[in-house]
Amino acid sequence: MKRLKHPKYTGILAASAVALAGLSAVSATAQTAPVPGGLVHDAEFQRLWEQNGDRWAEEDKEVAAKLAELEARFGKKPNIIHILWDDTRYGSVGHRLLTDITGYDAPNIEQMAAEGASFTRMYTEPSCTPTRVAAATGRLAVRSGMVFPIFPIHRMGLPGSEVTIAEVVDDTYHTGFFEKAHFGDQEEGYVTNQGWDEAIFSLYNQFAGQMFTEDAENTGYTTAYNEDGYDKKYFFDDTFRPLEWIWTVEGTEGGEVREFSTPKTFADYQDANARMWERTKEFVVKHADSDKPFMLQWWPNVFDLADEDAVRPFTTQNGTASAESIKRMDAKIGELFALLEEQGIAENTIVIAMADNGPMAHVWPETGQNGFFRGGKNDVTEGGIRVPAFIKWPGVIEPGTVIGDMIHVSDLFNTFARITGRYDQIPTDRIIDGIDQTALFVNGDTHGRRDYVFTYKGAQLGSVVKQQFKRHFSLGGGGLAGAEFFDIYKDPREEHPLMAEFLWAWAQFDHIVERHTALIGEYPHTPVARGEPYTSIVRLEDQ
Amino acid sequence: MKRLKHPKYTGILAASAVALAGLSAVSATAQTAPVPGGLVHDAEFQRLWEQNGDRWAEEDKEVAAKLAELEARFGKKPNIIHILWDDTRYGSVGHRLLTDITGYDAPNIEQMAAEGASFTRMYTEPSCTPTRVAAATGRLAVRSGMVFPIFPIHRMGLPGSEVTIAEVVDDTYHTGFFEKAHFGDQEEGYVTNQGWDEAIFSLYNQFAGQMFTEDAENTGYTTAYNEDGYDKKYFFDDTFRPLEWIWTVEGTEGGEVREFSTPKTFADYQDANARMWERTKEFVVKHADSDKPFMLQWWPNVFDLADEDAVRPFTTQNGTASAESIKRMDAKIGELFALLEEQGIAENTIVIAMADNGPMAHVWPETGQNGFFRGGKNDVTEGGIRVPAFIKWPGVIEPGTVIGDMIHVSDLFNTFARITGRYDQIPTDRIIDGIDQTALFVNGDTHGRRDYVFTYKGAQLGSVVKQQFKRHFSLGGGGLAGAEFFDIYKDPREEHPLMAEFLWAWAQFDHIVERHTALIGEYPHTPVARGEPYTSIVRLEDQ
């Protein structure tokens, strides 16, 4: 393992091994096998492996046998569908014990939860672009400079050197990507240049698709963008508003990339979404009978800011915009499961559905709601980074179960790589934050392998979770320890800084951050891609 | 119906009927039957009955047929067990999707929820004595002056003129009461003078039983009570500390009442609880085979403030005192269900388990935790008055269901009266706040008959809930509408006062309160019983 050659890092590891030796026998780790795939994991996982690796390696053999048995039964590896949508808080979908308090009516997600498992500690990054990058690359978004949501026209995007899960599975799977990528406007970051066989994907988010339209004022949101929305008598800079931008493009791997839609009206936006949804279903049907399984990233555009007549913004009286949008997405999820049944592939398809970050709590109540947690999108409190997440894997996951282990969105990268038999394709020349959680999927609750999460707020480390403890670096609050240490099990809203626990946790968290930072010194972040936007895209008027 | 003769009240009703007439046809209520039992319900229910009474009367016929069918099958009416414990917030027990975030490990309650139904909107009064009085009498505690928790030596208690559910069922059921009554120290309010056949009951709460002991300092709580706990050099009033008090007594209906336990040590307290638990189970066994069904109020003493060795207070590190106490109670609930099976009466026994009010949120974290809601015990925010509640009724209630209708603890009075066939024994000379929810129990979700709750903070009206809207009268907060109007579905923590909705809701809530107040003018509150405490109790030393 490359990182062990670094004197500073190995020094820290050696020192910690000595410290551990004084406490228990777990430091007798000479026999522990190297981490699977020889990956460069963060130091925190390395320490977990030192303590649990022998046991986990044994478990992995059983998991491999189980996967082989399934493959033999179905004649191919499982299809994988990852549904990732926006801005939804834990507890607002999935079960009426939660949603009756405050939440959405989403019967198909409830059914999915009843037939599969619900995660209670699925962590994400605090906003769209970072979470999507972490899911695609298995790396915290800070490692590729994708630290905030990219908007028109940021002239930045996902670096081509990142290796996505589509590149990992490569030709062993049919890969499809539909709707919201949010990887930015750089050619090297286009989804079709990042391994997906077939894709229709947005460069930016869905709000851009809705707000920058000619009838934007009808949505009740921004009116300061379009030509008629403002008084121009004091304006003499025609370049300030980004008029010539592109929202969504389509293409095939390495092929021509064509503009798919840049809405001029809200009806355009809705039409584009309707067409993408049809294409998503076509992808499933097309590959259902193939000898090769498929992997589908269906990351739908949620939320709509207006209703279907395109002219009336949702009122909060009848349910917020988010309530209406979730209802629409939920109906599609119902359609999707019906389609899997109809195609006879439901039994061999893993479906994971989850939100990409917490609710827009700071524009209450239109697109966010309060719940168990404090804060929402863009916060590193639990409200920003802990999301509803469900998995259905018939025959493997017991119906109606609950998984309480910590899991991070980046873990899906490793887990999909494991399930698809492509773990050896994960790059070993960079830090991989994802952890293989296949054992958790197969063996269920308490079989997870993560007890920590690093969360960045932009480019700065915002908080670290370890077990039920959490340390904040950006909450403010004065006095000794300030608003830093929390027990998120007893105090999920992070309102009561700990008094006693920080006495032992302070140095421990310092060490966690030191080790994390030392590894960045060895494997520096990749700079975000920057340059001319939209290169090689064939505009709609030229098609 | 007596109240309709009151000119002021009928005037309001007539005026509102006129107002309704302008909106819909529902005011054509001449055909609506009188409310069942001819009860004096609050005006709010009368209005609901005017709109829904014909339909509900039809439903009641089906419900009666169902109850008759069950009675024919089992040869007697169902046994009823009401478990009511302290200070626990919604979501902290019952399902891992909630408890994994923050809550307690209570596998037997989880099993009860899985085999029965969970209520998402069970309302109580905000503290112990009021909720217990409301459960026993079907009336808000303010109506009998029992507006706050009674402590040693308050010299007050439940008025003898109150009619409890035990008096309603009278000799048609074996009635038993065990553990925490908290009805005060007046003889007329003793549980055995309020209709129960057999009882061991505390006059005050369980904390009194634990804190006023000789080794109280060992619990980490009050040390200022007992002889050795303070420096007395400036003390010259020997009457300030209530040294001669009584905690728990036992007896049979109308018979001699004997002191059961007034703990001098924490071990005494634990011993008393252990003996009461044995007697509770004996009650069940004794009446299992009887021709007559039984009704058991098992209102256990929760929480313990120290562990079983009686000398070490719980640490928050290993789980709060509440976590440990819930675990102990949960084990007893498991024992109870096993006993019902063993005795062959599980099928014909209704069990309802619930908390009496929200958590002790203001002494975080020892005995309370944050959740969906703001506030806790003694608050009229949802955190104080909305509790975990579960019902198991085999063969009637579908396993694993969720009931989202509003229900108030006082409704159990009417519902038990209905199920036991004793609705005609409910007094009609006073306001009854409880509503018969038998249809909700039998037909499930959406069959409830309550859409409002009045909550008192002491003797003052604190808040009114109507549908998803809520108006506060005591939160403070300045400006137009201040912190008054909330949508508790979108904002369950009551943090965002409504701007738009109060424009129409203001007058509506004013009318609700006017009607409520007018009825009090006609049926004034009964004064709380006051006088010498402990009369007729045979002290332990005299037994």
PDB file of all heavy atoms in Angstrom, chain A residues 21 98 205 282 339:
ATOM      1  N   ALA A  21      -2.138  -0.522  21.959  1.00  0.00           N
ATOM      2  CA  ALA A  21      -1.565  -1.698  22.613  1.00  0.00           C
ATOM      3  C   ALA A  21      -1.771  -1.659  24.118  1.00  0.00           C
ATOM      4  O   ALA A  21      -1.933  -2.681  24.764  1.00  0.00           O
ATOM      5  CB  ALA A  21      -0.074  -1.797  22.289  1.00  0.00           C
ATOM      6  N   LEU A  98     -43.550   8.378  10.877  1.00  0.00           N
ATOM      7  CA  LEU A  98     -42.783   9.604  10.721  1.00  0.00           C
ATOM      8  C   LEU A  98     -43.554  10.620   9.887  1.00  0.00           C
ATOM      9  O   LEU A  98     -43.675  11.782  10.256  1.00  0.00           O
ATOM     10  CB  LEU A  98     -41.445   9.295  10.048  1.00  0.00           C
ATOM     11  CG  LEU A  98     -40.525   8.345  10.802  1.00  0.00           C
ATOM     12  CD1 LEU A  98     -40.084   7.203   9.927  1.00  0.00           C
ATOM     13  CD2 LEU A  98     -39.338   9.079  11.350  1.00  0.00           C
ATOM     14  N   ASN A 205     -28.439  22.440 -12.086  1.00  0.00           N
ATOM     15  CA  ASN A 205     -29.553  21.841 -11.353  1.00  0.00           C
ATOM     16  C   ASN A 205     -30.896  22.135 -11.996  1.00  0.00           C
ATOM     17  O   ASN A 205     -30.989  22.813 -13.029  1.00  0.00           O
ATOM     18  CB  ASN A 205     -29.500  22.217  -9.873  1.00  0.00           C
ATOM     19  CG  ASN A 205     -29.929  23.641  -9.622  1.00  0.00           C
ATOM     20  OD1 ASN A 205     -30.405  24.334 -10.517  1.00  0.00           O
ATOM     21  ND2 ASN A 205     -29.764  24.093  -8.404  1.00  0.00           N
ATOM     22  N   GLU A 282     -37.439   3.274 -21.351  1.00  0.00           N
ATOM     23  CA  GLU A 282     -36.971   2.560 -22.554  1.00  0.00           C
ATOM     24  C   GLU A 282     -35.630   1.865 -22.282  1.00  0.00           C
ATOM     25  O   GLU A 282     -35.394   0.756 -22.750  1.00  0.00           O
ATOM     26  CB  GLU A 282     -36.803   3.532 -23.735  1.00  0.00           C
ATOM     27  CG  GLU A 282     -38.121   3.879 -24.415  1.00  0.00           C
ATOM     28  CD  GLU A 282     -37.961   5.074 -25.366  1.00  0.00           C
ATOM     29  OE1 GLU A 282     -36.825   5.330 -25.836  1.00  0.00           O
ATOM     30  OE2 GLU A 282     -38.976   5.752 -25.612  1.00  0.00           O
ATOM     31  N   LEU A 339     -42.795  -1.778 -13.892  1.00  0.00           N
ATOM     32  CA  LEU A 339     -42.064  -2.125 -15.119  1.00  0.00           C
ATOM     33  C   LEU A 339     -41.094  -3.290 -14.872  1.00  0.00           C
ATOM     34  O   LEU A 339     -40.967  -4.203 -15.699  1.00  0.00           O
ATOM     35  CB  LEU A 339     -41.306  -0.897 -15.623  1.00  0.00           C
ATOM     36  CG  LEU A 339     -40.592  -1.014 -16.965  1.00  0.00           C
ATOM     37  CD1 LEU A 339     -41.591  -1.222 -18.095  1.00  0.00           C
ATOM     38  CD2 LEU A 339     -39.752   0.243 -17.236  1.00  0.00           C
TER      39      LEU A 339
END
